Amino acid sequence: MDKDLEKLKEEFIINFGWAYKAFGLSKLMGHIVALLIYSPRPLSLDEITQALKRSKGPVSQITRRLRDKNLIRRVWQPTSRKDYYEIEPEVFENAFRNNLELVRNNLRIAKTFKQRVADVGGDDVNALDTRLSEMQKFYELMDKKYKEFLDEWEVERENLEKNRINI
Amino acid sequence: MDKDLEKLKEEFIINFGWAYKAFGLSKLMGHIVALLIYSPRPLSLDEITQALKRSKGPVSQITRRLRDKNLIRRVWQPTSRKDYYEIEPEVFENAFRNNLELVRNNLRIAKTFKQRVADVGGDDVNALDTRLSEMQKFYELMDKKYKEFLDEWEVERENLEKNRINI
DNA sequence: TGGAACGTTTGAAAAAAATCAAACGTTAAC
DNA sequence: GTTAACGTTTGATTTTTTTCAAACGTTCCA
């Protein structure tokens, strides 16, 4: 029984590792996030290290990066002077926001080059200009939709919150 | 003058490489996509190889992967029996669709584990169940918004097309 | 047929990234 | 002060990924 849950946890962690990798982040980041999602209480660095069978070095580094990205947070317990980590309540939302930054970067690239190509001018430039315009439009719409999504999610999240309290 | 455009192209290619990497793909994929966006005409494998200063092996492999992902397409010229490659007109849209697949995978993970955790049951499971529910809702909304975006983009793309013809 | 022009596959080499163990610095308890 | 309990940094090591050069297979043309 506990054995099953343990097995599930392991799979969950592995899955998250691959997912994180697919999104351009490190597998270990995914593992830690998954572990903390799974855990009902904050975990110390040593506990994470043990659970994932890693050494302290990389875990320390990655927890820092995860905090920088607002995916986990550090908390303290009154009884111990260890650092504990828990999942950021808005992990998914924050991960999404990080992604939005990449989208905006693409938008910047399109804009910048469109301008610079226009400045330089030349013969074969028309087709390129069209493509860059399209790229710009694409990422502008994407940006807009991403923001809409975040707004809607805020509403939905509040509803979830309410229902949870009412039960 | 041409020198400037050449310089720009190089920067554009490098930028795309990093962007692709940030999204979990290989830099070379980004380079090839950027090169073909930039080029007013289809390029042969050799031309790509030369332009990017790579050897044929990896370029051949990556062009295949890019075709599998519908980001570039292979075309033929009447005069030559070489393979030529050009950018897929809907690169951005297709790249987005590929990303949507990853989102759906996350949704599947959430659903699967929610179900399995419920089946196993146990004590510490409530908090976890709440989190997985939230994860599921998040990715469901994301899926919905992604689809909306694609629909809107289709409309906008048609408009761009029309305007281009009318000029 | 034979050979030249291709693209693809493959095994090895190089480069990059992840990981570790140990040294280090800091803080808190005694 | 001294020591023990931490987290962090660092340089080396391992693993993974990227890249290459060469062999290979196919097609087309002489």
Side-chain angles (χ1 to χ4, degrees):
Chain A
M1 197 181 103
D2 264 0
K3 204 62 176 298
D4 287 349
L5 203 60
E6 201 56 34
K7 186 79 185 150
L8 262 176
K9 180 159 126 185
E10 209 170 291
E11 271 186 65
F12 188 70
I13 287 169
I14 289 171
N15 265 300
F16 253 71
W18 292 118
Y20 264 64
K21 183 145 195 227
F23 277 103
L25 303 168
S26 89
K27 264 198 286 182
L28 183 51
M29 284 182 72
H31 293 159
I32 292 175
V33 166
L35 179 63
L36 293 180
I37 286 176
Y38 225 94
S39 171
R41 60 176 182 79
L43 298 179
S44 70
L45 200 78
D46 277 341
E47 285 172 317
I48 294 172
T49 296
Q50 248 184 285
L52 299 180
K53 291 169 185 127
R54 295 286 148 80
S55 60
K56 278 164 48 176
V59 173
S60 170
Q61 290 171 325
I62 299 286
T63 51
R64 162 185 281 280
R65 282 177 56 195
L66 285 171
R67 282 196 296 127
D68 290 345
K69 290 174 177 296
N70 296 309
L71 303 183
I72 68 175
R73 60 166 65 155
R74 189 164 54 179
V75 296
W76 288 277
Q77 311 276 5
T79 56
S80 160
R81 63 189 172 92
K82 289 184 184 177
D83 292 349
Y84 287 82
Y85 297 93
E86 66 182 19
I87 195 73
E88 181 71 37
E90 303 191 346
V91 219
F92 301 117
E93 185 177 330
N94 291 343
F96 185 86
R97 282 185 204 281
N98 294 337
N99 212 254
L100 177 52
E101 283 309 312
L102 297 183
V103 168
R104 289 192 173 142
N105 197 43
N106 285 352
L107 178 52
R108 267 191 296 272
I109 290 176
K111 277 183 173 165
T112 305
F113 281 91
K114 194 163 125 56
Q115 185 55 52
R116 289 171 67 193
V117 165
D119 288 349
V120 171
D123 298 337
D124 293 334
V125 151
N126 280 337
L128 178 57
D129 187 69
T130 302
R131 283 172 179 171
L132 290 176
S133 289
E134 197 175 314
M135 180 173 167
Q136 181 178 341
K137 289 269 188 242
F138 186 88
Y139 284 110
E140 275 168 357
L141 183 58
M142 213 168 151
D143 185 326
K144 184 183 143 213
K145 272 292 167 185
Y146 267 43
K147 280 189 285 196
E148 270 180 45
F149 167 76
L150 284 170
D151 288 344
E152 281 189 36
W153 173 247
E154 201 176 330
V155 174
E156 190 157 334
R157 170 177 252 283
E158 275 166 20
N159 286 337
L160 287 174
E161 210 79 38
K162 271 185 211 144
N163 291 335
R164 204 176 308 143
I165 291 164
N166 291 341
I167 285 170
Chain B
M1 197 182 101
D2 264 358
K3 206 62 178 296
D4 287 349
L5 203 60
E6 202 54 36
K7 186 81 184 147
L8 261 176
K9 180 160 126 184
E10 208 172 292
E11 270 186 66
F12 188 71
I13 288 170
I14 288 170
N15 266 300
F16 253 71
W18 291 118
Y20 264 65
K21 183 142 196 229
F23 277 103
L25 302 169
S26 89
K27 265 196 288 182
L28 183 52
M29 284 180 72
H31 292 160
I32 292 175
V33 166
L35 178 63
L36 293 180
I37 287 176
Y38 226 93
S39 172
R41 60 177 183 79
L43 298 179
S44 70
L45 200 77
D46 277 340
E47 285 173 319
I48 295 172
T49 296
Q50 247 185 285
L52 301 179
K53 291 171 185 124
R54 294 287 147 77
S55 60
K56 276 163 51 173
V59 173
S60 169
Q61 290 172 326
I62 298 286
T63 50
R64 162 185 280 279
R65 283 176 57 197
L66 285 171
R67 282 195 298 128
D68 290 346
K69 290 176 178 295
N70 297 309
L71 303 183
I72 68 176
R73 60 166 63 154
R74 188 165 54 178
V75 295
W76 288 277
Q77 311 275 7
T79 57
S80 159
R81 63 191 173 91
K82 288 185 184 179
D83 293 348
Y84 287 82
Y85 296 94
E86 66 181 20
I87 196 72
E88 181 71 37
E90 305 192 345
V91 220
F92 300 117
E93 186 177 330
N94 291 342
F96 186 86
R97 281 186 205 280
N98 295 337
N99 212 254
L100 177 52
E101 283 309 311
L102 297 183
V103 168
R104 288 193 174 143
N105 197 42
N106 286 353
L107 179 52
R108 269 191 295 274
I109 291 177
K111 277 183 171 166
T112 304
F113 279 92
K114 196 162 124 53
Q115 184 55 53
R116 289 171 67 191
V117 165
D119 290 349
V120 171
D123 298 338
D124 292 334
V125 152
N126 279 337
L128 178 56
D129 187 68
T130 302
R131 283 172 180 171
L132 290 176
S133 291
E134 196 175 316
M135 182 173 166
Q136 182 178 340
K137 291 267 189 243
F138 186 88
Y139 285 110
E140 275 168 356
L141 183 57
M142 212 168 150
D143 185 327
K144 184 183 142 212
K145 271 294 168 186
Y146 268 42
K147 280 188 287 198
E148 269 181 45
F149 166 76
L150 285 170
D151 288 344
E152 282 189 35
W153 173 247
E154 202 175 330
V155 174
E156 191 156 334
R157 170 178 254 283
E158 274 165 22
N159 286 338
L160 287 175
E161 210 78 39
K162 270 185 214 142
N163 291 337
R164 205 176 309 144
I165 291 164
N166 290 344
I167 285 168

